[in-house]
Amino acid sequence: MRLSSRLLMAMPTAAGSTAGLKPAPMALLPPIPLYRRLFRAHRRKLPKENRVLGDEYIKSEFRAHRDVENPVHIIGFLTEWQMYAQAVEGDSWRDATLDRGKIDKMNDQQLGQLYELMQAIKEKEKQENDSSG
């Protein structure tokens, strides 16, 4: 993920927003500080078994997007991960559901990844239930 100076200037900030019309957009973190923030949030807020799965997912997603150069894609990627970090830090992720609009925007590969993640979570829950019962 290469951030050009032009892209950095295009990132949303609180300055220049129209007061009163809509909330000021959040300042977008650069990739490396965001990456570190995600791991800190997992370390502080997630149970160890969930943290392992989450940490591996963060690593694989950031690696997969390392060479992306499309500014729109980069901003979308960073925005979604930053919103995820805020949700984990604020505990609003518990019992949350995915927005139908986000699911509708996913391509086949993303839907496949989501399905694999769901299967991994269900398998883990099944193993936990089998070992406790």
Side-chain angles (χ1 to χ4, degrees), residues 31-74:
I32 294 175
L34 177 58
Y35 187 76
R36 291 177 181 151
R37 179 180 174 183
L38 290 163
F39 285 111
R40 270 194 308 274
H42 278 190
R43 188 172 57 246
R44 292 178 182 156
K45 297 288 187 169
L46 296 182
K48 185 176 181 177
E49 56 276 357
N50 294 0
R51 192 176 84 209
V52 171
L53 179 64
D55 287 354
E56 286 302 314
Y57 190 70
I58 292 170
K59 289 175 192 176
S60 69
E61 283 299 299
F62 273 77
R63 279 187 199 120
H65 291 82
R66 182 180 295 160
D67 296 324
V68 171
E69 294 192 19
N70 180 343
V72 174
H73 189 84
I74 293 170

Side-chain angles (χ1 to χ4, degrees), residues 7-120:
L7 175 60
L8 287 171
M9 293 174 68
M11 288 185 173
T13 61
S17 66
T18 52
L21 297 179
K22 55 184 168 180
M26 64 183 162
L28 204 53
L29 287 175
I32 294 175
L34 177 58
Y35 187 76
R36 291 177 181 151
R37 179 180 174 183
L38 290 163
F39 285 111
R40 270 194 308 274
H42 278 190
R43 188 172 57 246
R44 292 178 182 156
K45 297 288 187 169
L46 296 182
K48 185 176 181 177
E49 56 276 357
N50 294 0
R51 192 176 84 209
V52 171
L53 179 64
D55 287 354
E56 286 302 314
Y57 190 70
I58 292 170
K59 289 175 192 176
S60 69
E61 283 299 299
F62 273 77
R63 279 187 199 120
H65 291 82
R66 182 180 295 160
D67 296 324
V68 171
E69 294 192 19
N70 180 343
V72 174
H73 189 84
I74 293 170
I75 290 173
F77 179 82
L78 295 175
T79 300
E80 289 298 321
W81 277 108
Q82 188 161 324
M83 289 185 335
Y84 169 77
Q86 290 171 340
V88 170
E89 291 166 346
D91 287 336
S92 65
W93 59 275
R94 297 183 188 274
D95 300 322
T97 58
L98 281 174
D99 179 29
R100 180 70 184 171
K102 287 184 182 181
I103 294 173
D104 291 341
K105 291 179 183 178
M106 290 182 181
N107 63 31
D108 291 342
Q109 180 185 8
Q110 291 168 325
L111 289 171
Q113 286 179 317
L114 184 61
Y115 181 76
E116 289 174 14
L117 180 61
M118 181 187 71
Q119 292 299 102

